[in-house]
Amino acid sequence: MNPLHVASISSEMVPLAKTGGLGDVCGALPIALDALGCRCSCFLPAYRSVLKSGLVLEPTNHTFTIHIADRYVACRLLKTRLPNSQVDVYLIDQPQYFDRDGFYSDQSGEYRDNCERFAFFCRAVIEAIDQLELDIDIVHCHDWQTGLVPAYLRTRFGGYAWMDRAKSILTIHNLAYQGRFWHLDMHLTGMDWQYFNWEQMEFHGELNLMKTGIVFADTVTTVSPTYASEITTPEHGCGLETILAGRGEHLLGIVNGVDYAHWNPSTDVHLPRQYSWQDWQAGKAECKAALQTELNLPLQAGVPLIGIVSRLADQKGWDLIIPLLLHWAHSHDVQWAILGTGDPELEAQLRNLAQHHPHRVSASLEFSEGLAHRIEAASDMFLMPSRYEPCGLNQLYSLKYGSVPVVHATGGLNDTVVDTTDETLADGTASGFCFAGYSVANLEETLHRALDFYLHRREHWAQIVNAGMRSDWSWNKSAQRYMEVFHQTLSVEA
Ligand code: ADP
Ligand code: GLC
């Protein structure tokens, strides 16, 4: 029997294009699937970051033209390999759409032609699969940018022969971003207007590409079991809860894995000193001192250091963090190492806090892969009080780096961090500190609980650090789960 052949279609993929966890997952999962004997071919726009990545981009013989609205838009297909792997990546090279500063936006905001850009991307990918004669079994789509592909497959758009056999999976990484556009953008999709109805592509009078994917995909997955159930409720469903609940057993959650080739303190090239669960005390102490020096924080070994690496977006709990910081920066002998970019107003607030409390608060308002690794290694605790969190990768990294996660018990945070209680200490599973009930008071109480362990219950603290560092969130288990889902999806008759 031939191995399964999966086309992974996404708008981000490390090391070529990343704004957040989507990039990490779409770069790592294909390699993990490949290790399980599943062939993966990936598709990504040839953004400026890709063209400048330094990876060898080979031309292919394939150039084609897509008829989009009243235009004929040409593109060519480039090819590369994910480093240290067998995984082919095909790049849709259309400079007017993709050779820009950002992936989705620039300083002036979201690109106004995002619907056209990603409708084009989806159309180009299905054409490319045909021209390359890839014999695809599963198209695995990620988030709204690829939501049209399941619709094209289900409606046999373009009449491609390969569509008769292939099945589609949509993975939702974040339901809050849905790709909503005014109704007249429907003509950019090429889909018949009959599909513009409330059960398919329309949502409150607009075109909704996430909804389109959810409705037409054979299977819908999201990135943790808790989030899979949360999004069927009005609180987290972002208006799509009824549609999602309607997918029944065809909606399920698979927790993301970690690429330990990149996120492992014992091999991490970004650290001043590497360490493992056996020598973390000395290793982390050295990393902490180095980071305090790097960030101009006072060199104080005994003062707890709390790390945050996060997009500056509403999702991540900044409306709890900022009030807490405003208070704690005066009152608590704790250092904060914060790395993030995003909302300009939050950036200004953090800049302000760091200026007024340079001995306690460091705010690096940039995107820095190296600093993200060094904060994970140096900090004693890692704070992630997200309002909602589909999966979250940083808490998984912090477990591995011995930076004890303090989290709001939601989505993937709930599925991956075990709160410290008498019971979980006794059975050895305690790996962090969780709070239910999204409020500053609950966050503060939980941080106090964590600090109490850190300052006064050192043996238990060491146990918690060890449990996290030795837990295994590698991709292997999750990739096997995806394989099961691929097979189940293929076995269901159309
Ligand atoms: P999300 O995808 O919602 O942003 P995740 O926790 O899944 O959240 O993934 C975030 C990823 O982005 C992690 O790999 C994290 O290290 C990285 N990241 C976020 N902000 C920055 C930043 N300012 N600099 C470097 N890496 C960042
Ligand atoms: C999204 C989510 C995050 C998840 C990531 C990768 O960006 O916000 O929770 O870890 O996708 O799936």
Side-chain angles (χ1 to χ4, degrees), residues 18-25 173-174 256 263 309-312 315-316 339-341 364-373 376 384 389-395 397:
K18 163 173 167 177
T19 64
L22 173 69
D24 289 334
V25 171
H173 294 264
N174 194 334
N256 289 330
W263 292 95
V309 178
S310 166
R311 285 183 291 115
L312 302 182
Q315 170 191 351
K316 299 294 179 180
L339 170 64
T341 56
S364 306
L365 306 171
E366 56 176 328
F367 198 92
S368 164
E369 188 73 25
L371 187 53
H373 287 243
E376 294 281 6
M384 231 170 140
E389 195 61 76
C391 179
L393 293 170
N394 276 308
Q395 84 281 10
Y397 303 153

Side-chain angles (χ1 to χ4, degrees), residues 258-271 273-277 280 283-284 287 369-370 372-382 393-405 465-466 468-471:
V258 176
D259 182 355
Y260 288 133
H262 289 113
W263 292 95
N264 185 341
S266 60
T267 52
D268 193 326
V269 291
H270 299 289
L271 307 187
R273 171 189 160 154
Q274 289 147 358
Y275 60 92
S276 72
W277 63 271
W280 64 267
K284 284 186 72 73
C287 290
E369 188 73 25
H373 287 243
R374 288 192 292 281
I375 290 179
E376 294 281 6
S379 53
D380 300 300
M381 292 168 209
F382 194 89
L393 293 170
N394 276 308
Q395 84 281 10
L396 298 179
Y397 303 153
S398 59
L399 286 170
K400 189 69 179 174
Y401 282 69
S403 176
V404 174
V465 170
N466 273 313
M469 291 190 78
R470 297 174 74 174
S471 61

Side-chain angles (χ1 to χ4, degrees), residues 39 50 64 120 128 130 170 213 217 225 263 279 295 297 382 415 417 445 454 477:
R39 185 171 165 210
V50 174
F64 42 86
F120 176 84
D130 193 63
L170 175 77
W263 292 95
D279 63 346
L295 299 179
L297 288 166
F382 194 89
D415 293 339
V417 180
E445 190 265 329
Y454 176 82
K477 215 169 21 169

